[in-house]
Amino acid sequence: MSENLPACPKCSGEYTYEMDALMVCPECGHEWAVAEGGAEEGGARVVKDAVGNVLNDGDTVTVVKALKVKGSPSGIKAGTKVRNIRLVDGVDGHDIDCKVDGFGAMQLKSSVVKKV
């Protein structure tokens, strides 16, 4: 069993446990999801880039590795700048909503970008 499970955010109970993708408090019955790639701090979601910088809405980021784009013959090259990002609760770890020049609107994972 993991010794570093977070306390319940509702009742501060220390006997929390993992159940699939959720954390559960047996004392008050509260269930919550722990976000991957971001941490819950004081109720505010913190999203970090590939090197650990905190990202905010409106930031400019650079793609750090080449990405394949479904339905496109070429992908997004490493070093591509993406301006004016928006942080979202996306699907499958995609937590950045943005527009990439030449590709249009898409979602990216914070683990493949670096803050400029």
Side-chain angles (χ1 to χ4, degrees), residues 17-80:
Y17 62 91
E18 293 180 61
M19 183 175 68
D20 296 325
L22 296 175
M23 296 297 300
V24 180
C25 176
E27 296 175 14
C28 69
H30 180 64
E31 297 179 354
W32 70 100
V34 177
E36 184 177 83
E40 299 288 333
E41 290 183 7
R45 186 163 170 249
V46 177
V47 178
K48 295 185 179 182
D49 67 3
V51 293
N53 298 322
V54 176
L55 297 174
N56 298 307
D57 286 342
D59 283 345
T60 299
V61 295
T62 303
V63 177
V64 295
K65 71 179 211 175
L67 302 173
K68 294 180 181 178
V69 178
K70 194 175 190 179
S72 174
S74 63
I76 299 173
K77 295 180 182 177
T80 302

